[in-house]
């Protein structure tokens, strides 16, 4: 049997298995139960090195999850995920997908296993950074297969409500659902993650980058725009439909529709910005280079709580 070699390839292979299983047993396909899938699938495909243990623990030092070989050299593997009370269900599910990705893609290259933190891919060009990005890509494609994702949003108005629905359907964070949508949407849109009055990071869809609109929040300190819902700290319930800003509030000097939700402690905000649907002639010269550089920078975002 030949095995896939890419994150997408592995995710598609597993998705097919899950789909057939659920059709046969007339069960819902989502959310994907990664723990049982990992154990079953690894036992069938790699009977000499199955994943036999998956459990939660209150991990410290920012560790989200670990994949490691059983110390008795039996060939078996284990996964431990951070189950601290502050970690959401969606984040745990994504971490399990991420560790399963390491198992399928990287265990030969890194036989001592992995300890994964939120931010251990800052070094974009390192081997570790590449493997982290691949494991996240795998988790994203496994938990939110594109065929189903497209089906769910077909004919729907893009809104935060839709993103919350998708997050619940796939048991992922709302950030993960929005990033997935931004990956392929033809719309000009942006996700802005705010923290303590500043833009912690932001992510533009490719069509928006092509019109030159993005924030380099990793490189610069940028305040949340004063007139934004994110800066005002308005409760989501007050503006469930969001509001339309005139040009000049958010990047790009265009009208922008903003919907923002806040973390339970209110110190973090997630804003979905939708720009008007037209393609600008003023294409940003360096957009290709910018897109390439940020590729490695994407996927740790999926693991956020909200
Ligand atoms: Zn990892």
């Amino acid at each position: 049997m030949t095995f896939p070699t890419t994150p997408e390839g592995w995710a598609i292979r597993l998705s097919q298995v899950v789909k057939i299983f659920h059709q046969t047993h007339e069960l819902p396909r989502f959310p994907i139960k990664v723990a049982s899938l990992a154990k079953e699938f690894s036992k069938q495909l790699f009977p000499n090195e199955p994943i036999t243990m998956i459990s939660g623990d209150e991990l410290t030092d920012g560790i989200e999850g670990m994949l490691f070989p059983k110390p008795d050299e039996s060939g078996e593997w284990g996964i431990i995920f951070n189950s601290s009370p502050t970690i959401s269900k969606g984040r745990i599910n994504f971490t399990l997908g991420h560790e399963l990705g390491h198992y399928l893609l990287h265990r030969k290259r890194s036989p001592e296993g992995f300890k994964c933190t939120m931010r251990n891919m800052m070094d974009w060009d390192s081997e570790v950074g590449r493997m982290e990005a691949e494991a996240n890509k795998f988790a994203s494609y496994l938990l939110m297969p594109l065929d189903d994702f497209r089906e769910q949003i077909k004919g729907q108005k893009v809104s935060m409500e839709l993103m919350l629905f998708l997050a619940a359907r796939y048991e992922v964070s709302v950030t993960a659902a929005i990033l997935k949508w931004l990956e392929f949407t033809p719309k000009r849109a942006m996700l802005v993650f705010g923290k303590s009055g500043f833009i912690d990071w932001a992510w533009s869809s490719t069509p928006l980058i092509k019109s030159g609109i993005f924030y380099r929040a990793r490189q610069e300190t940028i305040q949340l725009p004063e007139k934004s819902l994110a800066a005002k700290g308005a409760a989501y319930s007050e503006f469930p439909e969001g509001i339309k800003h005139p040009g000049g509030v958010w990047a790009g000097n265009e009208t922008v529709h903003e919907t923002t939700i806040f973390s339970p402690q209110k110190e973090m905000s997630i804003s979905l910005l939708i720009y008007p649907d037209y393609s600008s002639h003023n294409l940003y010269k360096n957009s290709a280079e910018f897109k390439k550089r940020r590729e490695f920078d994407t996927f740790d975002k999926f693991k956020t709580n909200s």
Side-chain angles (χ1 to χ4, degrees):
M1 187 190 283
T2 55
F3 295 121
T5 52
T6 62
E8 296 93 325
W10 269 117
I12 289 166
R13 174 77 68 90
L14 263 77
S15 288
Q16 284 163 347
V17 173
V18 172
K19 203 170 169 177
I20 292 164
F21 179 83
H22 286 287
Q23 275 167 356
T24 320
H25 296 81
E26 292 182 7
L27 293 165
R29 187 176 156 202
F30 298 105
I32 297 209
K33 301 288 176 206
V34 181
S36 47
L37 176 66
K39 285 184 181 169
E40 273 305 309
F41 193 72
S42 63
K43 192 168 74 184
Q44 279 175 26
L45 251 65
F46 308 106
N48 296 327
E49 38 189 341
I51 296 171
T52 52
M53 192 275 283
I54 298 180
S55 77
D57 201 353
E58 296 206 7
L59 302 176
T60 52
D61 300 330
I63 296 171
E64 293 287 311
M66 301 192 290
L67 170 77
F68 55 91
K70 200 172 171 185
D72 64 3
E73 296 184 358
S74 59
E76 295 172 27
W77 289 79
I79 292 173
I80 292 181
F81 57 90
N82 190 353
S83 59
S84 302
T86 52
I87 310 276
S88 69
K89 247 175 30 173
R91 187 159 151 189
I92 290 175
N93 208 26
F94 200 90
T95 296
L96 289 177
H98 176 101
E99 301 306 329
L100 178 57
H102 278 319
Y103 170 84
L104 294 169
L105 292 155
H106 308 132
R107 70 181 185 283
K108 302 279 186 228
R109 251 188 287 167
S110 184
E112 71 285 3
F114 290 86
K115 270 187 193 169
C116 304
T117 62
M118 280 280 263
R119 298 253 166 181
N120 59 356
M121 33 177 304
M122 294 297 280
D123 185 6
W124 294 344
D125 300 322
S126 74
E127 174 73 4
V128 173
R130 262 193 295 277
M131 289 197 284
E132 285 306 293
E134 284 182 358
N136 284 327
K137 196 168 205 173
F138 168 80
S140 163
Y141 277 79
L142 175 69
L143 297 173
M144 301 175 277
L146 268 186
D147 63 334
D148 188 78
F149 200 96
R150 285 186 200 277
E151 195 59 38
Q152 297 305 316
I153 62 172
K154 204 157 74 185
Q156 303 279 344
K157 188 171 176 286
V158 176
S159 65
M160 189 63 94
E161 207 183 338
L162 177 62
M163 298 301 156
L164 290 166
F165 161 78
L166 293 166
R169 177 177 179 81
Y170 301 120
E171 204 174 302
V172 295
S173 65
V174 68
T175 309
I178 296 174
L179 283 172
K180 185 79 186 179
W181 174 72
L182 286 174
E183 225 181 272
F184 64 86
T185 183
K187 288 197 173 292
R188 301 193 312 139
M190 195 193 305
L191 168 66
V192 178
F193 204 87
K195 207 174 182 178
S196 314
F198 290 89
I199 297 178
D200 191 41
W201 57 271
W203 192 258
S204 297
S205 66
T206 301
L208 191 62
I209 288 188
K210 284 189 176 159
S211 39
I213 299 174
F214 50 81
Y215 287 108
R216 293 181 194 273
R218 276 276 168 100
Q219 291 92 337
E220 298 164 25
T221 307
I222 305 167
Q223 266 187 324
L224 283 165
E226 204 184 319
K227 289 181 178 155
S228 65
L229 290 180
K232 285 180 177 159
Y236 172 59
S237 55
E238 287 175 43
F239 296 97
E241 307 289 330
I243 58 169
K244 196 167 182 181
H245 294 290
V249 174
W250 287 99
N253 207 18
E254 294 184 39
T255 57
V256 175
H257 185 273
E258 173 194 353
T259 323
T260 292
I261 54 173
F262 295 86
S263 66
Q265 290 79 31
K266 306 268 183 259
E267 79 287 14
M268 284 182 288
S269 58
I270 298 170
S271 304
L272 177 62
L273 308 182
I274 311 283
Y275 285 73
D277 266 338
Y278 63 84
S279 51
S280 170
H281 294 293
N282 179 25
L283 292 184
Y284 180 60
K285 286 197 295 299
N286 300 320
S287 64
E289 193 250 347
F290 182 74
K291 188 165 180 282
K292 188 166 156 256
R293 267 203 79 69
R294 74 176 189 152
E295 288 288 294
F296 282 122
D297 198 24
T298 325
F299 283 100
D300 61 336
K301 310 301 182 325
F302 281 101
K303 283 186 270 177
T304 56
N305 240 343
S306 309

